[in-house]
Amino acid sequence: MGVAGKLGNLGVVTTTLEAAINWGRTKSMWPMLFGLACCAIEMMSTQASVYDLSRFGMELMRPSPRQSDLMIVAGRVTRKMAPVLRQLYDQMPDPKYVISMGDCASCGGIFNNYAIVQGVDEIVPVDVYVAGCPPRPEQLIHGIMTLHEKIKTQRIADWA
Amino acid sequence: MSERPLLNSTGHSTGVTEWEGTVQELQGLVSPRALTGETMLLNMGPQHPSTHGVLRLLLELDGETVVSCIPDVGYLHTGIEKSMESKTYEQAITMTDRMDYLNPMGNNLVYCLAIEKIAELDVPERAQIVRVLLAELTRINSHLVWLGTHCLDMGAMSVFLYAMREREMILDIFEMVSGQRMMSTYFRPGGLWRDVPAEFIPAVKAFMDYFPAKIEEYETLLVNNPLWIDRTQGIGVITPEDALAYGCTGPTLRGSGVNWDIRKAMPYMGYETYQFDVPLGEHGDVYDRFYIRMKELYQSVRIINQALARLEKAPAAFRSNNRKYVPPPRSELGRSMEAVIHHFKLWTEGFSLPEGEVYVSIESPRGELSCFLSSDGGNRPHRVHFRTPSYVHTMGAIPKMAKDGMLADLVGIIGSVDIVLGDCDR
């Protein structure tokens, strides 16, 4: 009787440890609540009602780097902000991932001048770049899905 | 103070330096009690969810009471004013969008107004109406983000979700006219980039039918909510005299009861011909600033409805015919040699403005947004400066309101002033 009886024997699912860990990592990835500029507004839109990032188990933005797995660098990184951003990244626990959202964070965008770091990858390692000025919420979601795909290919043997 | 280079993961210099300071360097900024450790120095930001971006506040606390609040801005300094000097006048419009990213159309507008004033360029009636309409939609858009984040800071989650839902409809309208959700660059010197599409008027009408009921919904949730009232009334009070002395404008000033709205005081784009009221507060506290913004939403709806009625009857010209500044339409290029020359000149080197200096102001959702434009007769701005409300409010009003208040109220104060750090640091 019960669900198991009706659906047949579902008692055992075989998988690899790697796949199980990577699946867990993708399904409850908590981004850091960390907005810099215009892209942060689109990041908020992604979180909010219409685009609803909670479909991917990612609605919980953590204001503290100690509790977050993913840093979405949303906006232009200035030379004054760069050391702060690096410190935040250093404070995040492993495994940690970085999405560079928007043109400014990816390569400086239209601001090639004295104030803006020409790409956040000069400071922290970046996993996924999302183009756009600012990227649409769909583009950010696509970037996040790309990161999920990347995580699913990670191997325990490569853990440092 | 010492300087330390920031290295990347491979141990190479990133070209960025970190500054290390000591508490002794704060002498003169904080009270002497802080240096002896009698009061506590607390750093808030730049990564703090309630500072609406990358504002850093250095707080001196006596228990939970804020003794002094020292803002540290510049974490989003983008060098926009300097970059604009290396772009032609028309290229530089894209830069203005990214200053106050909740008010892109307003930034376009003030910059175009400055160019139009110095060039004595005419703006057709249709363009003026569409500019007013979109500027008011931008105000609603900005106020919705303010409402959502302000409530989120104060612990009311659902208003954020509702406000963002309505905001998407406005962004759809922006995308319809300009092709971009946020950074529209739709206003150009002498008018608009192109005419509004046929589906624009029905879309705005549909939104206008839908939206007023939603403002009532937000008001039902908040205006008489005892939790909300406890959290906002009597908090962050600024007197009318102080508000004027600290250079407050917009809802921050009107919350204290001073009747000053650039749309009424120094009308631009034909605002003097529209019927609307300027909501005023009484007490100058967080609640009054919240309340008049809610009332401003209704006034924006009023203005948009009037603009819609005018737009239906307006003549078709959406951009000036002054060929020294405005490129000819595509259809003229095949017929007129002169048009080809103008087209070539305007798209290669851009237009040159007569020598001179102008200063224009508009009422942005946050207050008085002004543009100072200096031209040396060339095709690039000699100097552009923006007087942005967020900067003035961050440096003056927030420390004044926070002083002698509680630490927990600071979040409400920052939210009620509605600063945007892109606007502040530029």
Side-chain angles (χ1 to χ4, degrees), chain B residues 227 325 339:
Chain B
L227 290 173
Y325 298 103

Side-chain angles (χ1 to χ4, degrees), chain A residues 32-42 44-51 62-65 75-84 86-88 104 110-117 121-125 132-138, chain B residues 6-9 14-19 46-49 53-54 72-80 82-83 87 94-95 97-99 101-102 145 149 160-165 167-168 171-172 175 179-183 421-423 426:
Chain A
M32 180 153 58
L33 180 50
F34 174 54
L36 289 170
C38 335
C39 289
I41 308 294
E42 285 298 58
M44 273 160 52
S45 297
T46 316
Q47 297 281 325
S49 10
V50 176
Y51 294 98
R62 303 313 297 177
S64 162
R76 46 204 186 229
V77 183
T78 63
R79 290 191 177 270
K80 189 170 179 177
M81 192 64 196
V84 182
R86 172 63 180 274
Q87 190 178 0
L88 288 169
C104 296
I110 64 169
F111 301 111
N112 186 0
N113 61 21
Y114 62 93
I116 298 294
V117 175
D121 49 7
E122 291 187 21
I123 300 162
V124 293
C133 188
R136 300 176 59 91
E138 291 98 327
Chain B
L6 183 74
L7 305 180
N8 66 13
S9 49
T14 55
V16 176
T17 47
E18 280 184 290
W19 290 91
Q47 190 262 338
H48 187 282
V54 283
D72 180 5
V73 297
Y75 284 96
L76 199 56
H77 175 68
T78 317
I80 285 180
K82 188 70 188 166
S83 289
K87 306 234 177 272
T94 48
M95 294 271 176
D97 281 300
R98 287 149 181 90
M99 283 188 330
Y101 36 81
L102 292 180
V145 176
T149 50
F160 170 74
L161 296 172
Y162 295 155
M164 294 305 270
R165 181 185 64 195
R167 181 172 177 269
E168 287 295 327
L171 293 185
D172 287 346
E175 193 175 2
Q180 243 274 32
R181 281 158 57 91
M182 281 174 70
M183 305 302 162
L421 268 293
D423 192 34
R426 307 190 285 288

Side-chain angles (χ1 to χ4, degrees), chain B residues 188-315:
Chain B
R188 301 290 165 91
L192 309 167
W193 169 53
R194 60 172 194 186
D195 198 7
V196 290
E199 61 270 28
F200 173 73
I201 292 178
V204 178
K205 266 189 181 154
F207 181 67
M208 285 300 112
D209 292 340
Y210 167 83
F211 188 58
K214 296 295 161 188
I215 314 177
E216 280 166 28
E217 199 177 305
Y218 310 146
E219 290 195 330
T220 321
L221 285 168
L222 296 169
V223 169
N224 293 320
N225 183 335
L227 290 173
W228 183 256
I229 287 172
D230 278 355
R231 197 82 166 78
T232 54
Q233 275 186 354
I235 307 291
V237 179
I238 189 161
T239 61
E241 296 77 32
D242 279 342
L244 283 170
Y246 281 87
C248 297
T249 45
T252 312
L253 180 64
R254 294 196 288 272
S256 300
V258 181
N259 191 349
W260 178 254
D261 187 320
I262 305 286
R263 292 174 294 175
K264 291 274 190 199
M266 296 186 266
Y268 52 93
M269 285 292 112
Y271 263 114
E272 66 276 18
T273 60
Y274 292 88
Q275 305 288 319
F276 64 99
D277 301 324
V278 179
L280 292 179
E282 279 175 48
H283 309 100
D285 57 3
V286 173
Y287 184 84
D288 278 16
R289 289 192 283 277
F290 150 78
Y291 191 69
I292 63 165
R293 279 203 185 86
M294 298 302 285
K295 294 296 167 204
E296 275 187 14
L297 289 175
Y298 287 113
Q299 299 305 324
S300 291
V301 170
R302 256 179 93 184
I303 297 173
I304 292 170
N305 281 330
Q306 294 169 46
L308 271 176
R310 291 182 195 188
L311 186 59
E312 284 173 335
K313 295 195 286 275

Side-chain angles (χ1 to χ4, degrees), chain B residues 352-364:
Chain B
S352 299
L353 288 185
E355 219 169 296
E357 293 176 353
V358 287
Y359 184 81
V360 290
S361 304
I362 65 160
E363 182 77 18
S364 98

Side-chain angles (χ1 to χ4, degrees), chain B residues 142-159:
Chain B
S142 171
H143 280 2
L144 284 176
V145 176
W146 156 79
L147 179 69
T149 50
H150 187 37
C151 294
L152 209 54
D153 292 346
M154 307 292 255
M157 177 88 191
S158 32
V159 182

